[in-house]
Amino acid sequence: MTHKSTILIVDDEISNIEIMNAILEDDYEICFATSGEQALEIARTIFPDLILLDILLPGIDGFEVCRQLKTDELMADVPVIFTTGLGDTEDEVRGLMLGAIDYVTKPIQPIILKARVGNHVELKRLRDQLAEIAVTDALTGLSNRRRLEQTLKTETSRLSRNEEYLSVIMVDIDFFKQFNDTYGHPAGDRCITMVASAMNRAVKRTSDLPARYGGEEFACVLPGADADMAYSVAREIQQQVRALNIPHQKSDIGPYVTVSMGIATARCLQGMTADMWTHHADSQLYISKSNGRDRITQTTFEADHA
């Protein structure tokens, strides 16, 4: 079953919403709002694929809605098409300067609306595909460091609204240089891929993000996870990797590949930065490696001690 793109129609005239809905409903999931404030609330909840936005709205107008959307990191890439009966070049220019991608004038012409919406939804789909490639590690299929950093930034901001927990796990394959030297780089790549698959099996919540941090190092972002929850995930990663039974005759701690881990947990507060979690988790990883490897070390930190 093909997933339908979601269109948010914003207009204070119900008759206009009904007209546009009738034109588009066969091809898209349709949501609607009748004010600027409601539009922003719904958009930040459903993350539509495209917004059809009237200029003249009660409360904040369409220009202000567009401005706020384009300054919101989570919403900035959502295409906005203004729908207006104003027919004023200055308004059109102002909308485009704010980040809108197109205009549709009223009364709505069904063929024109369908064509323009279809073109921009397809362009967004292609952009999303390219963006996905840019944040995916080619070897393992996990998210890459770029997405990890984006996710951490987003989650620290989101979770700080209610001062919720965030945990980060840093993972390193023990004695990986010796593994590469002994078995060769193709075997090293297979080892990295197998460990990545083990992490995917261990990280079960859809909100959690396993990523390849670089080389033989991985990381997991666990939104809403306290210290106990994070430790449970780390233990599952450890067990999944051990269950792989990848031979490693040059390891100083056993005959098979193992991993060392560091965990950092804190409540997200305003002003805390994403790199606090990676810094503390990396410090804990260093302790794990210094104390013999194949182990998990964790800390819970506060903003004052970050």
Side-chain angles (χ1 to χ4, degrees):
M1 185 169 159
T2 304
H3 168 71
K4 286 186 176 182
S5 298
T6 300
I7 309 296
L8 173 59
I9 300 173
V10 186
D11 200 302
D12 62 332
E13 294 287 341
I14 297 299
S15 58
N16 289 330
I17 292 175
E18 290 174 343
I19 290 169
M20 288 184 277
N21 180 69
I23 296 169
L24 300 171
E25 64 180 344
D26 289 343
D27 300 312
Y28 307 100
E29 295 290 339
I30 306 297
C31 299
F32 67 89
T34 56
S35 71
E37 291 85 352
Q38 187 182 35
L40 290 170
E41 181 181 351
I42 293 174
R44 289 164 177 158
T45 301
I46 67 171
F47 296 101
D49 295 290
L50 183 140
I51 298 173
L52 288 165
L53 179 60
D54 190 21
I55 290 178
L56 299 177
L57 295 169
I60 61 175
D61 64 15
F63 292 130
E64 177 60 17
V65 171
C66 185
R67 188 195 69 77
Q68 291 193 33
L69 290 171
K70 294 306 173 182
T71 55
D72 185 328
E73 286 189 13
L74 298 180
M75 300 300 304
D77 292 334
V78 177
V80 174
I81 297 177
F82 275 119
T83 61
T84 178
L86 293 175
D88 191 318
T89 301
E90 288 185 10
D91 288 312
E92 183 173 345
V93 170
R94 182 181 175 190
L96 294 172
M97 292 291 288
L98 286 169
I101 55 167
D102 210 342
Y103 259 80
V104 175
T105 56
K106 301 172 186 175
I108 297 296
Q109 300 297 315
I111 294 176
I112 292 175
L113 181 67
K114 289 189 74 169
R116 292 191 174 178
V117 167
N119 287 342
H120 290 302
V121 167
E122 177 62 14
L123 285 171
K124 182 179 185 297
R125 186 185 68 80
L126 293 173
R127 287 198 303 270
D128 288 347
Q129 287 181 346
L130 290 173
E132 184 68 22
I133 293 170
V135 293
T136 301
D137 177 63
L139 177 63
T140 64
L142 293 181
S143 296
N144 62 16
R145 183 168 178 171
R146 181 180 179 185
R147 170 171 278 174
L148 174 84
E149 292 171 346
Q150 290 173 349
T151 300
L152 267 176
K153 186 176 181 181
T154 299
E155 291 295 346
T156 51
S157 174
R158 181 181 70 85
L159 296 170
S160 67
R161 295 169 194 164
N162 296 310
E163 298 187 1
E164 296 178 68
Y165 278 110
L166 173 67
S167 293
V168 170
I169 306 173
M170 300 294 289
V171 184
D172 191 74
I173 301 175
D174 294 323
F175 302 107
F176 187 73
K177 182 181 184 304
Q178 291 89 326
F179 185 95
N180 259 346
D181 291 344
T182 303
Y183 300 102
H185 289 283
D189 285 349
R190 286 193 297 273
C191 175
I192 287 172
T193 302
M194 292 173 72
V195 170
S197 296
M199 285 184 59
N200 251 337
R201 291 191 293 273
V203 180
K204 297 180 172 65
R205 298 189 309 166
T206 56
S207 59
D208 297 340
L209 181 81
R212 186 180 180 196
Y213 198 69
E216 71 275 18
E217 195 168 8
F218 301 85
C220 291
V221 180
L222 310 175
D226 61 16
D228 290 340
M229 292 172 64
Y231 189 82
S232 295
V233 173
R235 282 286 295 164
E236 182 65 20
I237 293 171
Q238 186 181 56
Q239 292 167 8
Q240 289 283 353
V241 172
R242 286 174 176 172
L244 295 172
N245 289 329
I246 304 172
H248 191 349
Q249 65 185 32
K250 293 298 183 180
S251 171
D252 290 349
I253 53 176
Y256 300 107
V257 166
T258 58
V259 292
S260 296
M261 281 176 276
I263 307 171
T265 301
R267 287 191 182 275
C268 294
L269 304 175
Q270 293 292 336
M272 294 177 71
T273 58
D275 59 2
M276 292 177 181
W277 276 264
T278 52
H279 169 74
H280 282 280
D282 206 46
S283 296
Q284 296 301 301
L285 173 60
Y286 178 80
I287 293 171
S288 289
K289 293 166 74 172
S290 299
N291 289 341
R293 308 190 190 230
D294 188 25
R295 64 187 64 221
I296 303 164
T297 310
Q298 68 180 146
T299 186
T300 299
F301 67 94
E302 298 178 1
D304 292 344
H305 304 99

PDB file of all heavy atoms in Angstrom, residues 85-118:
ATOM      1  N   GLY A  85      -6.214  35.494  -3.001  1.00  0.00           N
ATOM      2  CA  GLY A  85      -6.976  36.190  -4.023  1.00  0.00           C
ATOM      3  C   GLY A  85      -6.512  37.617  -4.188  1.00  0.00           C
ATOM      4  O   GLY A  85      -7.125  38.407  -4.895  1.00  0.00           O
ATOM      5  N   LEU A  86      -5.410  37.949  -3.537  1.00  0.00           N
ATOM      6  CA  LEU A  86      -4.955  39.333  -3.549  1.00  0.00           C
ATOM      7  C   LEU A  86      -4.456  39.774  -4.922  1.00  0.00           C
ATOM      8  O   LEU A  86      -4.698  40.885  -5.360  1.00  0.00           O
ATOM      9  CB  LEU A  86      -3.847  39.528  -2.509  1.00  0.00           C
ATOM     10  CG  LEU A  86      -4.278  39.379  -1.048  1.00  0.00           C
ATOM     11  CD1 LEU A  86      -3.067  39.478  -0.135  1.00  0.00           C
ATOM     12  CD2 LEU A  86      -5.290  40.469  -0.688  1.00  0.00           C
ATOM     13  N   GLY A  87      -3.732  38.910  -5.584  1.00  0.00           N
ATOM     14  CA  GLY A  87      -3.231  39.239  -6.905  1.00  0.00           C
ATOM     15  C   GLY A  87      -2.291  40.411  -6.918  1.00  0.00           C
ATOM     16  O   GLY A  87      -2.194  41.154  -7.897  1.00  0.00           O
ATOM     17  N   ASP A  88      -1.570  40.608  -5.831  1.00  0.00           N
ATOM     18  CA  ASP A  88      -0.675  41.758  -5.696  1.00  0.00           C
ATOM     19  C   ASP A  88       0.771  41.289  -5.822  1.00  0.00           C
ATOM     20  O   ASP A  88       1.221  40.414  -5.081  1.00  0.00           O
ATOM     21  CB  ASP A  88      -0.898  42.416  -4.330  1.00  0.00           C
ATOM     22  CG  ASP A  88      -0.204  43.766  -4.230  1.00  0.00           C
ATOM     23  OD1 ASP A  88       0.943  43.868  -4.701  1.00  0.00           O
ATOM     24  OD2 ASP A  88      -0.808  44.697  -3.674  1.00  0.00           O
ATOM     25  N   THR A  89       1.517  41.864  -6.764  1.00  0.00           N
ATOM     26  CA  THR A  89       2.905  41.451  -6.985  1.00  0.00           C
ATOM     27  C   THR A  89       3.759  41.631  -5.742  1.00  0.00           C
ATOM     28  O   THR A  89       4.617  40.801  -5.440  1.00  0.00           O
ATOM     29  CB  THR A  89       3.508  42.254  -8.150  1.00  0.00           C
ATOM     30  OG1 THR A  89       2.732  42.023  -9.325  1.00  0.00           O
ATOM     31  CG2 THR A  89       4.946  41.811  -8.417  1.00  0.00           C
ATOM     32  N   GLU A  90       3.513  42.726  -5.016  1.00  0.00           N
ATOM     33  CA  GLU A  90       4.307  42.963  -3.806  1.00  0.00           C
ATOM     34  C   GLU A  90       4.104  41.851  -2.784  1.00  0.00           C
ATOM     35  O   GLU A  90       5.047  41.411  -2.115  1.00  0.00           O
ATOM     36  CB  GLU A  90       3.936  44.314  -3.185  1.00  0.00           C
ATOM     37  CG  GLU A  90       4.434  45.512  -3.987  1.00  0.00           C
ATOM     38  CD  GLU A  90       4.152  46.823  -3.269  1.00  0.00           C
ATOM     39  OE1 GLU A  90       3.743  46.775  -2.086  1.00  0.00           O
ATOM     40  OE2 GLU A  90       4.345  47.884  -3.888  1.00  0.00           O
ATOM     41  N   ASP A  91       2.849  41.388  -2.644  1.00  0.00           N
ATOM     42  CA  ASP A  91       2.581  40.288  -1.714  1.00  0.00           C
ATOM     43  C   ASP A  91       3.254  39.002  -2.174  1.00  0.00           C
ATOM     44  O   ASP A  91       3.768  38.230  -1.368  1.00  0.00           O
ATOM     45  CB  ASP A  91       1.074  40.065  -1.580  1.00  0.00           C
ATOM     46  CG  ASP A  91       0.404  41.170  -0.788  1.00  0.00           C
ATOM     47  OD1 ASP A  91       0.921  41.521   0.295  1.00  0.00           O
ATOM     48  OD2 ASP A  91      -0.632  41.691  -1.230  1.00  0.00           O
ATOM     49  N   GLU A  92       3.233  38.758  -3.482  1.00  0.00           N
ATOM     50  CA  GLU A  92       3.875  37.570  -4.021  1.00  0.00           C
ATOM     51  C   GLU A  92       5.374  37.594  -3.732  1.00  0.00           C
ATOM     52  O   GLU A  92       5.956  36.605  -3.269  1.00  0.00           O
ATOM     53  CB  GLU A  92       3.623  37.461  -5.524  1.00  0.00           C
ATOM     54  CG  GLU A  92       4.213  36.209  -6.148  1.00  0.00           C
ATOM     55  CD  GLU A  92       3.800  36.049  -7.599  1.00  0.00           C
ATOM     56  OE1 GLU A  92       2.854  36.736  -8.037  1.00  0.00           O
ATOM     57  OE2 GLU A  92       4.431  35.233  -8.280  1.00  0.00           O
ATOM     58  N   VAL A  93       6.000  38.747  -4.002  1.00  0.00           N
ATOM     59  CA  VAL A  93       7.434  38.882  -3.744  1.00  0.00           C
ATOM     60  C   VAL A  93       7.735  38.703  -2.260  1.00  0.00           C
ATOM     61  O   VAL A  93       8.692  38.013  -1.889  1.00  0.00           O
ATOM     62  CB  VAL A  93       7.947  40.253  -4.230  1.00  0.00           C
ATOM     63  CG1 VAL A  93       9.374  40.493  -3.747  1.00  0.00           C
ATOM     64  CG2 VAL A  93       7.869  40.335  -5.746  1.00  0.00           C
ATOM     65  N   ARG A  94       6.907  39.304  -1.405  1.00  0.00           N
ATOM     66  CA  ARG A  94       7.126  39.180   0.037  1.00  0.00           C
ATOM     67  C   ARG A  94       7.058  37.718   0.479  1.00  0.00           C
ATOM     68  O   ARG A  94       7.875  37.254   1.261  1.00  0.00           O
ATOM     69  CB  ARG A  94       6.087  40.008   0.796  1.00  0.00           C
ATOM     70  CG  ARG A  94       6.273  39.988   2.308  1.00  0.00           C
ATOM     71  CD  ARG A  94       5.200  40.816   3.004  1.00  0.00           C
ATOM     72  NE  ARG A  94       5.300  40.698   4.448  1.00  0.00           N
ATOM     73  CZ  ARG A  94       4.397  41.149   5.308  1.00  0.00           C
ATOM     74  NH1 ARG A  94       3.303  41.767   4.849  1.00  0.00           N
ATOM     75  NH2 ARG A  94       4.556  40.996   6.609  1.00  0.00           N
ATOM     76  N   GLY A  95       6.076  36.990  -0.038  1.00  0.00           N
ATOM     77  CA  GLY A  95       5.950  35.574   0.317  1.00  0.00           C
ATOM     78  C   GLY A  95       7.140  34.759  -0.132  1.00  0.00           C
ATOM     79  O   GLY A  95       7.659  33.922   0.612  1.00  0.00           O
ATOM     80  N   LEU A  96       7.596  34.995  -1.342  1.00  0.00           N
ATOM     81  CA  LEU A  96       8.751  34.264  -1.857  1.00  0.00           C
ATOM     82  C   LEU A  96      10.008  34.608  -1.066  1.00  0.00           C
ATOM     83  O   LEU A  96      10.856  33.742  -0.812  1.00  0.00           O
ATOM     84  CB  LEU A  96       8.948  34.567  -3.347  1.00  0.00           C
ATOM     85  CG  LEU A  96       7.825  34.068  -4.271  1.00  0.00           C
ATOM     86  CD1 LEU A  96       8.042  34.590  -5.687  1.00  0.00           C
ATOM     87  CD2 LEU A  96       7.742  32.546  -4.269  1.00  0.00           C
ATOM     88  N   MET A  97      10.140  35.862  -0.669  1.00  0.00           N
ATOM     89  CA  MET A  97      11.290  36.263   0.134  1.00  0.00           C
ATOM     90  C   MET A  97      11.284  35.588   1.502  1.00  0.00           C
ATOM     91  O   MET A  97      12.330  35.337   2.096  1.00  0.00           O
ATOM     92  CB  MET A  97      11.303  37.787   0.310  1.00  0.00           C
ATOM     93  CG  MET A  97      11.580  38.561  -0.974  1.00  0.00           C
ATOM     94  SD  MET A  97      13.278  38.345  -1.561  1.00  0.00           S
ATOM     95  CE  MET A  97      14.177  39.322  -0.334  1.00  0.00           C
ATOM     96  N   LEU A  98      10.101  35.261   2.023  1.00  0.00           N
ATOM     97  CA  LEU A  98       9.988  34.577   3.313  1.00  0.00           C
ATOM     98  C   LEU A  98      10.244  33.082   3.208  1.00  0.00           C
ATOM     99  O   LEU A  98      10.354  32.401   4.221  1.00  0.00           O
ATOM    100  CB  LEU A  98       8.592  34.825   3.907  1.00  0.00           C
ATOM    101  CG  LEU A  98       8.339  36.214   4.489  1.00  0.00           C
ATOM    102  CD1 LEU A  98       6.859  36.404   4.792  1.00  0.00           C
ATOM    103  CD2 LEU A  98       9.172  36.433   5.749  1.00  0.00           C
ATOM    104  N   GLY A  99      10.302  32.555   1.987  1.00  0.00           N
ATOM    105  CA  GLY A  99      10.626  31.147   1.809  1.00  0.00           C
ATOM    106  C   GLY A  99       9.560  30.303   1.153  1.00  0.00           C
ATOM    107  O   GLY A  99       9.745  29.092   0.982  1.00  0.00           O
ATOM    108  N   ALA A 100       8.423  30.911   0.777  1.00  0.00           N
ATOM    109  CA  ALA A 100       7.407  30.157   0.042  1.00  0.00           C
ATOM    110  C   ALA A 100       7.975  29.752  -1.327  1.00  0.00           C
ATOM    111  O   ALA A 100       8.849  30.433  -1.874  1.00  0.00           O
ATOM    112  CB  ALA A 100       6.144  30.996  -0.143  1.00  0.00           C
ATOM    113  N   ILE A 101       7.461  28.644  -1.852  1.00  0.00           N
ATOM    114  CA  ILE A 101       7.999  28.148  -3.124  1.00  0.00           C
ATOM    115  C   ILE A 101       7.099  28.465  -4.306  1.00  0.00           C
ATOM    116  O   ILE A 101       7.528  28.352  -5.458  1.00  0.00           O
ATOM    117  CB  ILE A 101       8.238  26.620  -3.083  1.00  0.00           C
ATOM    118  CG1 ILE A 101       6.941  25.912  -2.690  1.00  0.00           C
ATOM    119  CG2 ILE A 101       9.376  26.259  -2.159  1.00  0.00           C
ATOM    120  CD1 ILE A 101       6.985  24.424  -2.914  1.00  0.00           C
ATOM    121  N   ASP A 102       5.820  28.849  -4.031  1.00  0.00           N
ATOM    122  CA  ASP A 102       4.908  29.060  -5.155  1.00  0.00           C
ATOM    123  C   ASP A 102       3.663  29.805  -4.670  1.00  0.00           C
ATOM    124  O   ASP A 102       3.466  29.991  -3.469  1.00  0.00           O
ATOM    125  CB  ASP A 102       4.502  27.712  -5.764  1.00  0.00           C
ATOM    126  CG  ASP A 102       4.202  27.820  -7.261  1.00  0.00           C
ATOM    127  OD1 ASP A 102       3.978  28.939  -7.747  1.00  0.00           O
ATOM    128  OD2 ASP A 102       4.194  26.764  -7.929  1.00  0.00           O
ATOM    129  N   TYR A 103       2.856  30.215  -5.623  1.00  0.00           N
ATOM    130  CA  TYR A 103       1.587  30.888  -5.370  1.00  0.00           C
ATOM    131  C   TYR A 103       0.493  30.213  -6.176  1.00  0.00           C
ATOM    132  O   TYR A 103       0.725  29.789  -7.317  1.00  0.00           O
ATOM    133  CB  TYR A 103       1.661  32.357  -5.803  1.00  0.00           C
ATOM    134  CG  TYR A 103       1.871  33.326  -4.683  1.00  0.00           C
ATOM    135  CD1 TYR A 103       3.145  33.526  -4.155  1.00  0.00           C
ATOM    136  CD2 TYR A 103       0.807  34.035  -4.144  1.00  0.00           C
ATOM    137  CE1 TYR A 103       3.350  34.425  -3.127  1.00  0.00           C
ATOM    138  CE2 TYR A 103       1.002  34.934  -3.112  1.00  0.00           C
ATOM    139  CZ  TYR A 103       2.272  35.132  -2.606  1.00  0.00           C
ATOM    140  OH  TYR A 103       2.471  36.014  -1.581  1.00  0.00           O
ATOM    141  N   VAL A 104      -0.703  30.104  -5.597  1.00  0.00           N
ATOM    142  CA  VAL A 104      -1.898  29.690  -6.337  1.00  0.00           C
ATOM    143  C   VAL A 104      -2.964  30.739  -6.048  1.00  0.00           C
ATOM    144  O   VAL A 104      -3.251  31.032  -4.880  1.00  0.00           O
ATOM    145  CB  VAL A 104      -2.399  28.297  -5.907  1.00  0.00           C
ATOM    146  CG1 VAL A 104      -3.716  27.977  -6.629  1.00  0.00           C
ATOM    147  CG2 VAL A 104      -1.362  27.231  -6.217  1.00  0.00           C
ATOM    148  N   THR A 105      -3.535  31.322  -7.087  1.00  0.00           N
ATOM    149  CA  THR A 105      -4.528  32.380  -6.893  1.00  0.00           C
ATOM    150  C   THR A 105      -5.943  31.817  -6.853  1.00  0.00           C
ATOM    151  O   THR A 105      -6.232  30.775  -7.444  1.00  0.00           O
ATOM    152  CB  THR A 105      -4.426  33.421  -8.011  1.00  0.00           C
ATOM    153  OG1 THR A 105      -4.566  32.767  -9.279  1.00  0.00           O
ATOM    154  CG2 THR A 105      -3.089  34.144  -7.969  1.00  0.00           C
ATOM    155  N   LYS A 106      -6.794  32.534  -6.122  1.00  0.00           N
ATOM    156  CA  LYS A 106      -8.214  32.196  -6.050  1.00  0.00           C
ATOM    157  C   LYS A 106      -8.987  33.069  -7.046  1.00  0.00           C
ATOM    158  O   LYS A 106      -8.582  34.214  -7.273  1.00  0.00           O
ATOM    159  CB  LYS A 106      -8.745  32.428  -4.638  1.00  0.00           C
ATOM    160  CG  LYS A 106      -8.035  31.619  -3.562  1.00  0.00           C
ATOM    161  CD  LYS A 106      -8.501  32.071  -2.186  1.00  0.00           C
ATOM    162  CE  LYS A 106      -7.708  31.400  -1.078  1.00  0.00           C
ATOM    163  NZ  LYS A 106      -8.057  31.920   0.254  1.00  0.00           N
ATOM    164  N   PRO A 107     -10.066  32.531  -7.622  1.00  0.00           N
ATOM    165  CA  PRO A 107     -10.622  31.195  -7.377  1.00  0.00           C
ATOM    166  C   PRO A 107      -9.698  30.077  -7.876  1.00  0.00           C
ATOM    167  O   PRO A 107      -9.025  30.231  -8.897  1.00  0.00           O
ATOM    168  CB  PRO A 107     -11.942  31.212  -8.143  1.00  0.00           C
ATOM    169  CG  PRO A 107     -11.742  32.247  -9.209  1.00  0.00           C
ATOM    170  CD  PRO A 107     -10.867  33.290  -8.605  1.00  0.00           C
ATOM    171  N   ILE A 108      -9.702  28.966  -7.125  1.00  0.00           N
ATOM    172  CA  ILE A 108      -8.794  27.846  -7.404  1.00  0.00           C
ATOM    173  C   ILE A 108      -9.155  27.174  -8.720  1.00  0.00           C
ATOM    174  O   ILE A 108     -10.327  26.861  -8.984  1.00  0.00           O
ATOM    175  CB  ILE A 108      -8.861  26.817  -6.258  1.00  0.00           C
ATOM    176  CG1 ILE A 108      -8.391  27.447  -4.941  1.00  0.00           C
ATOM    177  CG2 ILE A 108      -8.035  25.586  -6.604  1.00  0.00           C
ATOM    178  CD1 ILE A 108      -6.945  27.868  -4.928  1.00  0.00           C
ATOM    179  N   GLN A 109      -8.135  26.963  -9.559  1.00  0.00           N
ATOM    180  CA  GLN A 109      -8.289  26.187 -10.782  1.00  0.00           C
ATOM    181  C   GLN A 109      -7.789  24.767 -10.508  1.00  0.00           C
ATOM    182  O   GLN A 109      -6.589  24.565 -10.236  1.00  0.00           O
ATOM    183  CB  GLN A 109      -7.478  26.817 -11.922  1.00  0.00           C
ATOM    184  CG  GLN A 109      -7.878  28.247 -12.262  1.00  0.00           C
ATOM    185  CD  GLN A 109      -9.296  28.334 -12.760  1.00  0.00           C
ATOM    186  OE1 GLN A 109      -9.729  27.534 -13.590  1.00  0.00           O
ATOM    187  NE2 GLN A 109     -10.047  29.307 -12.243  1.00  0.00           N
ATOM    188  N   PRO A 110      -8.675  23.764 -10.523  1.00  0.00           N
ATOM    189  CA  PRO A 110      -8.278  22.404 -10.117  1.00  0.00           C
ATOM    190  C   PRO A 110      -7.040  21.861 -10.814  1.00  0.00           C
ATOM    191  O   PRO A 110      -6.152  21.294 -10.171  1.00  0.00           O
ATOM    192  CB  PRO A 110      -9.515  21.570 -10.470  1.00  0.00           C
ATOM    193  CG  PRO A 110     -10.652  22.528 -10.351  1.00  0.00           C
ATOM    194  CD  PRO A 110     -10.114  23.851 -10.857  1.00  0.00           C
ATOM    195  N   ILE A 111      -6.938  22.049 -12.130  1.00  0.00           N
ATOM    196  CA  ILE A 111      -5.793  21.503 -12.866  1.00  0.00           C
ATOM    197  C   ILE A 111      -4.497  22.148 -12.396  1.00  0.00           C
ATOM    198  O   ILE A 111      -3.478  21.475 -12.184  1.00  0.00           O
ATOM    199  CB  ILE A 111      -5.986  21.697 -14.390  1.00  0.00           C
ATOM    200  CG1 ILE A 111      -7.161  20.861 -14.898  1.00  0.00           C
ATOM    201  CG2 ILE A 111      -4.700  21.319 -15.129  1.00  0.00           C
ATOM    202  CD1 ILE A 111      -7.476  21.071 -16.369  1.00  0.00           C
ATOM    203  N   ILE A 112      -4.516  23.451 -12.204  1.00  0.00           N
ATOM    204  CA  ILE A 112      -3.311  24.171 -11.767  1.00  0.00           C
ATOM    205  C   ILE A 112      -2.922  23.753 -10.355  1.00  0.00           C
ATOM    206  O   ILE A 112      -1.750  23.493 -10.066  1.00  0.00           O
ATOM    207  CB  ILE A 112      -3.541  25.694 -11.856  1.00  0.00           C
ATOM    208  CG1 ILE A 112      -3.659  26.113 -13.321  1.00  0.00           C
ATOM    209  CG2 ILE A 112      -2.396  26.450 -11.174  1.00  0.00           C
ATOM    210  CD1 ILE A 112      -3.999  27.579 -13.513  1.00  0.00           C
ATOM    211  N   LEU A 113      -3.923  23.673  -9.451  1.00  0.00           N
ATOM    212  CA  LEU A 113      -3.615  23.280  -8.069  1.00  0.00           C
ATOM    213  C   LEU A 113      -3.020  21.883  -8.028  1.00  0.00           C
ATOM    214  O   LEU A 113      -1.990  21.667  -7.366  1.00  0.00           O
ATOM    215  CB  LEU A 113      -4.883  23.337  -7.216  1.00  0.00           C
ATOM    216  CG  LEU A 113      -4.678  22.968  -5.739  1.00  0.00           C
ATOM    217  CD1 LEU A 113      -3.814  24.010  -5.048  1.00  0.00           C
ATOM    218  CD2 LEU A 113      -6.021  22.829  -5.028  1.00  0.00           C
ATOM    219  N   LYS A 114      -3.625  20.924  -8.725  1.00  0.00           N
ATOM    220  CA  LYS A 114      -3.117  19.550  -8.712  1.00  0.00           C
ATOM    221  C   LYS A 114      -1.701  19.484  -9.270  1.00  0.00           C
ATOM    222  O   LYS A 114      -0.839  18.787  -8.730  1.00  0.00           O
ATOM    223  CB  LYS A 114      -4.045  18.622  -9.504  1.00  0.00           C
ATOM    224  CG  LYS A 114      -5.369  18.351  -8.837  1.00  0.00           C
ATOM    225  CD  LYS A 114      -6.144  17.259  -9.550  1.00  0.00           C
ATOM    226  CE  LYS A 114      -5.540  15.885  -9.275  1.00  0.00           C
ATOM    227  NZ  LYS A 114      -6.433  14.803  -9.737  1.00  0.00           N
ATOM    228  N   ALA A 115      -1.465  20.212 -10.351  1.00  0.00           N
ATOM    229  CA  ALA A 115      -0.146  20.170 -10.988  1.00  0.00           C
ATOM    230  C   ALA A 115       0.929  20.760 -10.078  1.00  0.00           C
ATOM    231  O   ALA A 115       2.004  20.179  -9.906  1.00  0.00           O
ATOM    232  CB  ALA A 115      -0.187  20.911 -12.318  1.00  0.00           C
ATOM    233  N   ARG A 116       0.650  21.903  -9.488  1.00  0.00           N
ATOM    234  CA  ARG A 116       1.666  22.559  -8.663  1.00  0.00           C
ATOM    235  C   ARG A 116       1.917  21.789  -7.373  1.00  0.00           C
ATOM    236  O   ARG A 116       3.075  21.622  -6.962  1.00  0.00           O
ATOM    237  CB  ARG A 116       1.259  24.002  -8.374  1.00  0.00           C
ATOM    238  CG  ARG A 116       1.296  24.851  -9.644  1.00  0.00           C
ATOM    239  CD  ARG A 116       1.150  26.327  -9.371  1.00  0.00           C
ATOM    240  NE  ARG A 116       1.335  27.087 -10.608  1.00  0.00           N
ATOM    241  CZ  ARG A 116       1.234  28.397 -10.718  1.00  0.00           C
ATOM    242  NH1 ARG A 116       0.933  29.121  -9.648  1.00  0.00           N
ATOM    243  NH2 ARG A 116       1.428  28.994 -11.865  1.00  0.00           N
ATOM    244  N   VAL A 117       0.857  21.318  -6.742  1.00  0.00           N
ATOM    245  CA  VAL A 117       1.037  20.506  -5.538  1.00  0.00           C
ATOM    246  C   VAL A 117       1.805  19.231  -5.879  1.00  0.00           C
ATOM    247  O   VAL A 117       2.754  18.852  -5.188  1.00  0.00           O
ATOM    248  CB  VAL A 117      -0.326  20.168  -4.897  1.00  0.00           C
ATOM    249  CG1 VAL A 117      -0.169  19.072  -3.841  1.00  0.00           C
ATOM    250  CG2 VAL A 117      -0.942  21.415  -4.279  1.00  0.00           C
ATOM    251  N   GLY A 118       1.429  18.573  -6.955  1.00  0.00           N
ATOM    252  CA  GLY A 118       2.111  17.334  -7.347  1.00  0.00           C
ATOM    253  C   GLY A 118       3.586  17.545  -7.624  1.00  0.00           C
ATOM    254  O   GLY A 118       4.433  16.757  -7.185  1.00  0.00           O
TER     255      GLY A 118
END
